[in-house]
Amino acid sequence: MNGKKGLVIGIANEHSLAWAAARNCHAAGAELAVTYLNDKARPHVEPLAQSIDAPILAPCDVSRDGQLEAVFERITSTWGRLDFLVHAIAWAPAADLHGRLVDSSATGFAQAMQISCHSFIRMAKLAEPLMARGGSLTTLSFLGAEKVVDHYNLMGPVKAALEASVRYLAHELGPKGIRVNAISAGAIKTRAASGIEHFDELIRETEAKSPLRRTVTADEVGRAALLLVSDHTTAITGEILHVDAGFHVDGMIFH
């Protein structure tokens, strides 16, 4: 990854999957731009950015007009190009996330879709002119996009839309050498996961029923992100890579 320039969006703290991706990419030689959500988040993210000598650290709340565009303007003025980006943001209003899908509000659904899905499409559009030599776009998903997972609720359809967007973006951007993939990560205790009710039950189910009989680590997801943005996967696009100890493969299993 020496000489590669990358953008990682979604670091909240040292436990974030986005940080695991950034740490692994930096260790492999990449130079990174890093963002933080707001002033409250900055003290948690800035020391991490400093530890990997990130030349760009900028605020990025994709729900605020102009902030995402400002990040790409910094990248353009600093580097003039971008080789890869990792999109690791998702959000839904608590009332909609914790309630039934059938009871979700139109406003809450739209907000979840804007932040968790459409922001990736916006990033693809902004990254495209910076990837004249090709590149890689990677986002994070979850099994709830494919199958019903109790308490995932509203985010299931939102992540399903994100995974469909991966395929369509891969189709549209492929002729320019830009690859688009997603990682369907297993259950990991992160700040984002803390918003899902009964998440500990999902952890226990994963440990009991996944073929590897364990959960996965943030570092394992980070290494998968490194793989997808690297030149080791130049023929892989439109893919949903499961990093979940095999949990997604089992159906009606009787022990």
Side-chain angles (χ1 to χ4, degrees):
M1 297 291 286
N2 289 336
K4 298 281 190 181
K5 314 290 188 185
L7 167 64
V8 179
I9 291 186
I11 300 174
N13 54 42
E14 70 273 18
H15 304 297
S16 299
L17 298 184
W19 171 239
R23 187 179 66 246
N24 277 278
C25 290
H26 169 72
E31 190 173 23
L32 298 176
V34 169
T35 69
Y36 56 91
L37 178 62
N38 51 33
D39 289 341
K40 184 178 179 181
R42 181 168 184 165
H44 300 283
V45 180
E46 190 166 24
L48 301 177
Q50 291 172 344
S51 73
I52 59 172
D53 299 317
I56 299 173
L57 174 66
C60 185
D61 179 344
V62 296
S63 68
R64 292 185 174 273
D65 290 342
Q67 285 204 359
L68 182 60
E69 288 75 11
V71 170
F72 278 86
E73 287 171 6
R74 283 279 304 277
I75 291 171
T76 301
S77 61
T78 303
W79 291 331
R81 74 173 216 269
L82 187 66
D83 297 299
F84 66 90
L85 73 80
V86 177
H87 167 277
I89 56 176
W91 183 84
D96 294 286
L97 178 62
H98 296 159
R100 300 187 307 166
L101 174 63
V102 73
D103 296 323
S104 63
S105 68
T107 299
F109 192 93
Q111 289 176 323
M113 191 70 77
Q114 176 199 4
I115 292 172
S116 310
C117 177
H118 192 259
S119 63
F120 185 55
I121 299 171
R122 289 173 60 202
M123 289 180 202
K125 181 178 178 62
L126 292 166
E128 182 181 7
L130 292 170
M131 293 184 169
R133 304 187 304 180
S136 174
L137 314 177
T138 302
T139 187
L140 292 181
S141 189
F142 179 64
L143 182 63
E146 304 170 48
K147 300 175 182 179
V148 174
V149 174
D150 269 345
H151 310 296
Y152 202 54
N153 304 335
L154 173 71
M155 287 306 299
V158 172
K159 288 291 191 180
L162 178 65
E163 292 190 3
S165 299
V166 165
R167 291 185 284 271
Y168 277 84
L169 290 171
H171 170 75
E172 292 177 356
L173 299 178
K176 295 190 175 181
I178 300 172
R179 300 178 293 111
V180 188
N181 296 289
I183 296 171
S184 183
I188 302 172
K189 289 184 178 180
T190 63
R191 182 178 177 183
S194 67
I196 302 172
E197 292 184 317
H198 304 283
F199 191 76
D200 285 345
E201 293 179 25
L202 183 56
I203 293 286
R204 289 195 294 271
E205 284 289 295
T206 302
E207 292 173 339
K209 296 182 179 178
S210 66
L212 295 181
R213 298 295 189 272
R214 66 175 179 84
T215 58
V216 300
T217 67
D219 196 58
E220 288 175 317
V221 175
R223 293 199 302 269
L226 168 60
L227 177 67
L228 288 176
V229 304
S230 76
D231 289 341
H232 291 297
T233 51
T234 51
I236 297 177
T237 192
E239 187 67 37
I240 311 300
L241 176 63
H242 293 85
V243 184
D244 63 357
F247 187 70
H248 70 286
V249 305
D250 283 346
M252 297 286 287
I253 305 298
F254 302 95
H255 299 290

